[in-house]
Amino acid sequence: MNYRNYTKYSPKVSAIGFGAWQLGNGATWSAMTDGEAIDLVKAALDRGVNFFDTAPNYADGNSERLLGQALGGVDRSKLVINTKFGHNDQGQTDFSPEAIRRSIEGSLLRLKTDYLDSVLLHNPSRDLMSVDTCPHYEILENLKAEGKILAYGASVDSFDDMDYFMDHTDGQVMEIFFNILHQDVRSAFKKASEKEVALIAKIPLDSGWLSGKYNQTSTFTGIRSRWTSQDIINRGDIIDMIRDLPEGNQTMAQMALSYCLAYDEIATVIPGCVNIKQLEGNVASLDYPMNAETVKRLEDLYESVIKPMKLPW
């Protein structure tokens, strides 16, 4: 495992983190029992993973609960746990300032820990991104002073939101939508580095597209049914353009993770996994660091082909 700087308050984090959305999420991952979920987290620990990303609304609190059970007995000082605020364990959206402390204390209980390394506003609206207009940040600073959280920030999807948040708050962490097909946030990387804001790359496989398993004729149900037939064709065309990039035994998914990690500004990338084989594949992406030439090729492809398409998430 490789480790990278996170915040000045936490240890270095594993370059491959653990996205815990799937833990306990029976509506989508019904085949995973609680025992299998706990075993999967422990397998990640065995492979050097020490960064875990979750949220109260993931499986209505079950993700945090299972993560807390799985991490019990592990030296807390070597773990980095990130959770969020704004979507609670009852399936409700509540960004009210009076809900912050209640949300964080609930997360602490489910995660069985005394402190959280970072707490992020979970895709907040623009009006919640300024210390000048929101009491949220004073509350978060108080929670830092109490030692219940070590850092705070936001989970966002665009360059504009990254840029605005960094200009209007003292947030130390941002979780950003970043992958080969969505590179908009890349323009804010230099500023994040200058401000010492740690970056977590979310959705690195673009909801499965960058695993290479979908094409122009794929059909979808559930949340993925949001894509129109033209969206599917466009994504399939792009995937065809990059199928030749994986080298040797490298998979497309590993290539996609290597792309995110080619940027020093990225502290960790958080792909999901539903079994140990997927976990091992994620970790093995570190065996295939991406060279500068391939990074430049993917940046150029984004600017000339992908960006004009305005692909919806």
Side-chain angles (χ1 to χ4, degrees):
M1 181 58 66
N2 297 334
Y3 296 87
R4 298 184 173 201
N5 291 329
Y6 192 53
T7 72
K8 61 184 178 182
Y9 313 104
S10 295
K12 289 188 174 184
V13 296
S14 51
I16 301 296
F18 188 99
W21 181 84
Q22 73 277 8
L23 299 185
N25 206 328
T28 304
W29 305 112
S30 57
M32 187 187 297
T33 65
D34 284 3
E36 288 168 337
I38 291 170
D39 288 344
L40 188 58
V41 174
K42 290 183 176 180
L45 290 167
D46 289 343
R47 287 155 180 79
V49 174
N50 75 337
F51 182 87
F52 297 88
D53 174 85
T54 185
N57 66 315
Y58 292 176
D60 296 331
N62 276 329
S63 172
E64 290 183 328
R65 179 181 61 81
L66 289 166
L67 201 53
Q69 289 183 34
L71 297 178
V74 180
D75 185 346
R76 180 65 179 87
S77 68
K78 296 181 180 179
L79 300 175
V80 180
I81 300 175
N82 176 69
T83 192
K84 306 178 185 74
F85 160 74
H87 303 279
N88 65 32
D89 62 325
Q90 303 299 311
Q92 302 163 334
T93 299
D94 186 356
F95 280 97
S96 62
E98 57 268 24
I100 296 175
R101 183 176 292 274
R102 182 170 65 249
S103 177
I104 288 173
E105 290 180 347
S107 291
L108 289 169
L109 284 172
R110 288 187 291 273
L111 287 161
K112 300 182 184 298
T113 183
D114 296 328
Y115 69 93
L116 300 164
D117 292 271
S118 49
V119 172
L120 310 181
L121 274 69
H122 200 170
N123 289 91
S125 56
R126 180 62 64 88
D127 63 314
L128 296 174
M129 294 187 188
S130 175
V131 68
D132 298 322
T133 58
C134 296
H136 298 64
Y137 300 99
E138 182 178 357
I139 297 169
L140 290 166
E141 287 290 350
N142 289 339
L143 287 162
K144 278 184 65 178
E146 295 170 23
K148 291 187 175 181
I149 66 174
L150 304 186
Y152 61 82
S155 176
V156 300
D157 296 342
S158 69
F159 162 78
D160 287 342
D161 281 346
M162 277 189 76
D163 193 52
Y164 188 88
F165 187 82
M166 288 189 287
D167 280 344
H168 292 85
T169 77
D170 293 322
Q172 306 91 41
V173 180
M174 301 196 81
E175 189 169 295
I176 55 172
F177 184 17
F178 180 55
N179 62 49
I180 292 169
L181 305 188
H182 290 88
Q183 301 181 32
D184 175 60
V185 294
R186 178 165 46 83
S187 300
F189 284 6
K190 180 179 179 182
K191 186 171 186 175
S193 178
E194 291 170 349
K195 287 181 168 287
E196 297 184 328
V197 175
L199 299 181
I200 306 162
K202 65 179 179 179
I203 321 177
L205 301 184
D206 200 61
S207 298
W209 276 98
L210 289 168
S211 69
K213 63 183 179 181
Y214 301 142
N215 58 37
Q216 296 90 335
T217 64
S218 296
T219 57
F220 302 92
T221 58
I223 191 172
R224 288 177 171 84
S225 63
R226 66 186 180 274
W227 295 312
T228 67
S229 57
Q230 189 58 54
D231 294 335
I232 294 170
I233 291 170
N234 288 344
R235 271 182 164 80
D237 288 346
I238 296 166
I239 296 304
D240 285 345
M241 294 177 193
I242 61 176
R243 286 192 187 278
D244 66 327
L245 290 183
E247 300 179 353
N249 293 324
Q250 184 186 35
T251 66
M252 182 173 286
Q254 290 167 341
M255 183 266 294
L257 297 179
S258 294
Y259 171 74
C260 294
L261 293 172
Y263 297 88
D264 292 337
E265 297 89 347
I266 298 295
T268 184
V269 60
I270 49 170
C273 57
V274 297
N275 54 52
I276 291 177
K277 181 179 180 181
Q278 287 184 356
L279 170 67
E280 291 176 336
N282 292 340
V283 173
S285 64
L286 297 174
D287 295 335
Y288 304 94
M290 186 172 285
N291 60 55
E293 180 181 351
T294 303
V295 172
K296 182 64 165 58
R297 177 176 169 181
L298 289 170
E299 290 178 344
D300 290 344
L301 178 66
Y302 175 77
E303 296 296 337
S304 63
V305 177
I306 302 173
K307 185 176 180 180
M309 287 182 177
K310 299 181 178 179
L311 292 176
W313 177 68

